[in-house]
């Protein structure tokens, strides 16, 4: 970049830029730059889509004689089944987190329509206690509580 | 979480041990995508588009791609340059503001999207589910005919319609019922109630 002399002193311009396109080196400079930009753009997009996860964890009792590994997907299903068996819950499903939640078991619980938050709190604490006992507290579990949409105009009179 | 409290488990539980010995490790609250994610994707798409344009323009002189060069006019504009026009400082300020906005988004935290069930549980509800709990609680109040509720992380707003004979005290009764139903949530939502009667607004 430079300032042109003469009457264009106050003009900020890239001298000779208009002749680049006709120069012989233009194609050979532009092509690799373009390929680099395409690769950079694609890998940047891929990094947003790729979610790194953890499939299994080592339990605390693992040692030199052997390792105990727990498959998180199986644990997620088991926790969901345990949550579903409680009185305050209607259904539950489990999954394993990824990205920033890698290694976290995520359980989505749908509450029974007439269950109170106190009952849910009690039931989920009991489920959580079972999980903590079974895994030696090695696996974090996050519960997301869903509540059914109440029917419109269903209020009592 | 207090070390002296016990889990609120049913009486049928075989043993009661201190809460912290019976809990899975603490986890972060559910959160949304970081603010920088959308701008990151947008910038990546711009980079990708520039790359495609550059490759295309490189292939035009070789005759592999038909049509005129897209970058040649841009090179012409660069060669002509810009003078002391009034729009130049305006564009400069706008670009600087855009840069500041991008930096702010890059440093922004992931927004929290849920309300804790409280009492040290690793359980959360999204505001729409809090609104449904409030809706169900308000619906059980005597005289309430219809309920509409909406919630944010820290507040719940309800519009209830009541029968004329239940108008007096309806607001307090609904507020109490909803507060009881939402007791223990963290943060505790602020409950506001607007009451109207079947015959007209109050």
């Amino acid at each position: 970049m430079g300032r042109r002399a003469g009457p264009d002193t106050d003009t900020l311009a890239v001298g000779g830029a208009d002749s680049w396109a006709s120069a012989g080196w233009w194609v050979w400079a532009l092509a690799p730059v373009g390929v680099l930009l395409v690769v950079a753009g694609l890998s940047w997009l891929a990094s947003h889509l790729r979610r790194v996860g953890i499939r299994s964890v080592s339990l605390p009792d693992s040692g030199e004689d052997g390792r105990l590994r727990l498959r998180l997907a199986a644990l997620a299903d088991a926790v969901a089944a345990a949550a579903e068996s409680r009185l305050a819950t209607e259904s539950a499903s489990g999954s394993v987190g990824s990205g920033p939640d890698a290694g976290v078991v995520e359980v989505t619980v749908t509450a029974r329509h007439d269950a109170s938050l106190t009952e849910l709190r009690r039931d989920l604490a009991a489920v959580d206690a079972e999980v903590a006992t079974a895994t030696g507290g090695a696996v974090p579990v996050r519960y997301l509580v869903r509540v059914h949409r109440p029917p419109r105009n269903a209020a009592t009179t | 979480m207090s070390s002296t409290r016990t889990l609120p488990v049913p009486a049928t539980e075989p043993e009661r041990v201190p809460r912290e010995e019976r809990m899975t490790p603490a986890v972060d609250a559910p959160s949304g995508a970081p603010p920088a994610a959308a701008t990151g994707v947008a910038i990546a798409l711009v980079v990708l588009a520039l790359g495609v344009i550059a490759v295309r323009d490189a292939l035009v002189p070789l005759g592999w791609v038909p049509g005129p060069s897209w970058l040649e006019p841009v090179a012409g504009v660069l060669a002509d340059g810009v003078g002391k026009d009034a729009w130049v400082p305006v564009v400069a300020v706008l670009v600087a503001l855009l840069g500041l906005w991008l930096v702010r988004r890059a440093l922004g935290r992931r927004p929290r999207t849920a309300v804790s069930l409280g009492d040290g549980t690793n359980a959360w509800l999204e505001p729409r589910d809090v609104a449904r709990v409030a809706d169900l609680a308000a619906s059980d109040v005597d005289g309430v005919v219809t309920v509409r509720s909406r919630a944010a992380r820290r507040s719940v707003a309800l519009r209830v319609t009541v029968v004329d004979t239940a108008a007096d005290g309806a607001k307090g009764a609904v507020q109490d019922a909803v507060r009881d139903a939402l007791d223990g949530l963290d943060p505790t939502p602020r409950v506001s109630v607007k009451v109207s009667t079947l015959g007209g607004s109050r």
Side-chain angles (χ1 to χ4, degrees):
Chain A
M1 269 194 182
R3 285 178 181 276
R4 285 182 171 177
D8 291 333
T9 307
D10 293 331
T11 301
L12 188 64
V14 182
D18 48 352
S19 62
W20 291 353
S22 55
W25 53 265
W26 179 245
V27 173
W28 307 110
L30 200 58
V33 168
V35 170
L36 274 178
L37 286 174
V38 168
V39 170
L42 286 176
S43 48
W44 196 343
L45 284 175
S47 71
H48 279 278
L49 298 175
R50 189 174 55 242
R51 307 296 298 269
V52 178
I54 297 173
R55 290 185 176 183
S56 63
V57 294
S58 186
L59 291 179
D61 287 337
S62 299
E64 291 179 354
D65 298 332
R67 286 191 306 164
L68 289 168
R69 291 199 70 81
L70 180 63
R71 271 201 327 118
L72 292 181
L75 178 65
D77 290 342
V79 178
E84 205 169 72
S85 70
R86 306 301 296 197
L87 283 176
T89 58
E90 189 174 283
S91 62
S93 62
S95 62
V96 182
S98 59
D101 294 326
V104 176
V105 167
E106 297 177 326
V107 178
T108 302
V109 173
T110 303
R112 216 184 56 225
H113 72 280
D114 57 346
S116 69
L117 293 186
T118 305
E119 290 171 309
L120 275 167
R121 201 173 288 127
R122 183 199 63 205
D123 281 3
L124 291 181
V127 170
D128 204 57
E130 287 176 25
V131 178
T133 303
T135 62
V139 182
V141 182
R142 177 190 290 135
Y143 305 90
L144 190 60
V145 178
R146 301 271 187 228
V147 178
H148 275 310
R149 183 191 298 276
R152 280 281 152 235
N153 303 323
T156 56
T157 54
Chain B
M1 189 164 56
S2 166
S3 60
T4 58
R5 296 174 69 185
T6 54
L7 277 170
V9 291
T12 52
E13 287 291 313
E15 57 178 341
R16 287 177 180 271
V17 296
R19 170 179 209 88
E20 60 190 15
E21 293 178 19
R22 297 280 304 269
M23 298 286 286
T24 55
V27 292
D28 291 335
S31 54
T39 44
V41 170
I43 294 171
L45 287 172
V46 169
V47 169
L48 186 60
L50 287 174
V52 170
I53 290 170
V55 170
R56 179 200 171 274
D57 259 42
L59 297 178
V60 167
L62 300 174
W64 293 4
V65 175
S69 166
W70 290 347
L71 292 179
E72 209 170 322
V74 178
V77 170
L78 290 175
D80 292 342
V82 293
K84 287 184 174 176
D85 298 323
W87 60 267
V88 174
V90 174
V91 170
V93 169
L94 287 177
V95 170
L97 288 175
L98 175 66
L100 284 174
W101 179 73
L102 288 174
V103 169
R104 187 162 176 247
R105 283 183 74 83
L107 298 176
R109 287 182 171 189
R110 294 157 65 101
R112 291 198 169 182
T113 56
V115 181
S116 171
L117 193 57
D119 204 22
T121 58
N122 286 337
W124 283 269
L125 290 91
E126 289 185 355
R128 66 176 180 183
D129 296 294
V130 173
R132 287 171 185 174
V133 172
D135 200 315
L136 287 165
S139 299
D140 281 343
V141 174
D142 284 345
V144 171
V145 182
T146 63
V147 182
R148 287 196 176 277
S149 58
R150 58 190 166 84
R153 275 193 74 238
R154 296 177 181 275
S155 64
V156 178
L158 297 105
R159 301 176 78 94
V160 297
T161 308
V162 299
V163 294
D164 292 351
T165 53
D168 292 335
K171 182 174 181 177
V174 170
Q175 248 171 352
D176 289 346
V178 172
R179 280 180 184 145
D180 283 350
L182 302 181
D183 186 41
L185 290 182
D186 182 20
T188 305
R190 192 175 58 253
V191 179
S192 61
V193 179
K194 283 188 177 176
V195 177
S196 59
T197 60
L198 280 176
S201 183
R202 283 173 62 87

